[in-house]
Amino acid sequence: MSEQHLPSSLRVGGEAPDRNLALELVRVTEAAAMAGGRWVGRGDKNGADGAAVEAMRALISTVSMKGVVVIGEGEKDDAPMLYNGEEVGDGNGPECDVAVDPIDGTTLTAKGQSNAVSVLAVSDRGSMYDPSAVFYMDKLVTGAEAADVVDIRLPVAENVKRIAKAKKESVADVTVVMLDRPRHHELAQEVRDAGARLRFISDGDVAGAIMAARDDTGIDLLLGIGGTPEGIITACAIKCLGGVIQGRLWPQDDDERQRAVDAGHDLDRVLSTDDLVTGENCFFVATGITDGELLKGVRYRAGGATTHSLVMRSKSGTIRLIESHHRLAKLRAYSSVDFDHAG
């Protein structure tokens, strides 16, 4: 296990963090990753997601918290488990908002492609933004070095230029990541015209956003339209990492736009990190399912598995990289989850 401490501005002096909760939470994403990982390359993203959801739900019920799922599988996926409003945890401990994504990158998992992760974020009750069924948002994410100079309302070329200056590098050194979608055709051309490098990802914009916020991934900026739930989960990670996420709600049609207006949303408003998650007490946990720049995927061996996880807490400002070795026979003794098989 390795630890990296963020600047003192992100740490709270004198307050003892709830040390146990982070390590309880990582057990949840480890379980989801090991269950979903059995489906890697099998071409069945629904099977993979279902296995991860079941495992996550089984393990999250043991965590010492009074949790309510605020960002869940939800309406977008018509899920019977880990749905918005479901109570999770063992009923003891702090009252929390919970955001889950058992597999960020179900298609990546089904195809055996890189950067699929299992993700869980927890914050104080009432601190996560309610998007009111607006499923997509236009996003910008970058790391701490350029957090104060970017603005989603500016042209792409200007943001790229500002990031290059903040990082003391050339525009040609800047790498932008975005989802490979037809809706991003013009945005991608703006990145190219600006002189920056462009990397498309097919899925998994939580992992893409974290890569943009960390300084050791070769990614400087995430741009484009992705899921609003993923944006709120990303905000929890940004709270821990430093950096910034900015977003604007992006209704898909007139009906969704009207629902947003009726719910009181200003569709021109730029939502920042602190708008998406208020306060400074949140956890973010991710476990790799397939190999990627962010984390290694699950490794299986006879009778066991190895997982790699990222565990962060905003209040302490600590980032942990955890490698765990699991004996499946031991896990079977206290869990109903089948980590041995897919299907």
Side-chain angles (χ1 to χ4, degrees):
M1 179 191 302
S2 64
E3 291 192 7
Q4 172 187 351
H5 293 280
L6 295 179
S8 58
S9 62
L10 294 180
R11 296 200 293 266
V12 177
E15 280 194 57
D18 305 324
R19 292 182 178 88
N20 291 333
L21 188 57
L23 297 181
E24 287 190 65
L25 294 173
V26 76
R27 290 171 47 239
V28 179
T29 55
E30 286 173 346
M34 285 190 290
R38 288 295 189 187
W39 295 77
V40 168
R42 294 171 62 93
D44 184 353
K45 68 177 186 178
N46 292 328
D49 194 49
V53 168
E54 286 191 27
M56 179 170 277
R57 190 177 191 233
L59 269 291
I60 204 171
S61 67
T62 69
V63 176
S64 297
M65 65 178 178
K66 300 174 184 175
V68 175
V69 176
V70 175
I71 303 297
E73 295 291 274
E75 293 179 51
K76 187 176 172 184
D77 297 310
D78 195 25
M81 292 189 290
L82 297 178
Y83 54 85
N84 294 12
E86 183 175 0
E87 295 183 0
V88 294
D90 67 0
N92 299 303
E95 296 186 358
C96 302
D97 283 354
V98 179
V100 301
D101 201 345
I103 300 181
D104 179 43
T106 53
T107 299
L108 301 177
T109 301
K111 294 182 176 181
Q113 295 175 334
S114 62
N115 286 319
V117 294
S118 178
V119 174
L120 174 64
V122 171
S123 64
D124 291 336
R125 187 77 187 102
S127 61
M128 289 186 187
Y129 179 75
D130 179 6
S132 299
V134 180
F135 297 130
Y136 290 94
M137 71 186 330
D138 190 14
K139 305 174 195 175
L140 176 154
V141 179
T142 194
E145 289 178 279
D148 295 332
V149 301
V150 294
D151 189 325
I152 195 172
R153 294 166 293 192
L154 292 173
V156 169
E158 180 62 25
N159 278 320
V160 168
K161 179 180 171 182
R162 291 184 178 198
I163 288 171
K165 182 178 180 180
K167 293 191 170 188
K168 298 179 173 61
E169 59 190 27
S170 73
V171 165
D173 295 330
V174 175
T175 301
V176 180
V177 66
M178 72 176 65
L179 288 168
D180 187 4
R181 300 290 187 271
R183 62 179 178 259
H184 290 153
H185 177 76
E186 291 183 10
L187 185 64
Q189 191 58 50
E190 288 185 58
V191 172
R192 295 177 177 124
D193 291 344
R197 300 173 1 141
L198 177 61
R199 177 175 169 188
F200 282 118
I201 53 176
S202 60
D203 287 284
D205 68 341
V206 172
I210 295 171
M211 287 190 287
R214 297 199 73 182
D215 58 8
D216 56 355
T217 63
I219 303 296
D220 302 286
L221 177 66
L222 175 136
L223 292 174
I225 296 160
T228 304
E230 288 83 355
I232 296 165
I233 292 171
T234 295
C236 290
I238 296 297
K239 285 273 188 176
C240 303
L241 284 167
V244 68
I245 176 172
Q246 297 175 1
R248 290 178 293 196
L249 295 176
W250 191 81
Q252 300 172 82
D253 53 38
D254 290 341
D255 287 343
E256 194 171 305
R257 176 178 295 274
Q258 189 59 52
R259 287 198 301 272
V261 171
D262 292 344
H265 292 299
D266 178 357
L267 298 178
D268 294 322
R269 180 188 176 194
V270 175
L271 299 163
S272 68
T273 311
D274 289 335
D275 295 316
L276 295 173
V277 182
T278 61
E280 288 297 334
N281 187 29
C282 59
F283 296 89
F284 176 91
V285 184
T287 301
I289 298 173
T290 60
D291 286 351
E293 291 87 347
L294 189 62
L295 290 163
K296 293 180 183 178
V298 181
R299 302 282 197 276
Y300 296 98
R301 61 187 184 279
T306 300
T307 56
H308 294 84
S309 301
L310 178 65
V311 181
M312 306 187 288
R313 191 191 186 190
S314 62
K315 183 179 280 190
S316 64
T318 302
I319 300 170
R320 291 183 172 90
L321 296 170
I322 299 178
E323 178 178 299
S324 300
H325 300 268
H326 308 270
R327 293 173 61 185
L328 299 186
K330 294 282 188 180
L331 293 179
R332 281 193 297 271
Y334 72 86
S335 172
S336 61
V337 179
D338 182 4
F339 295 109
D340 294 296
H341 307 94

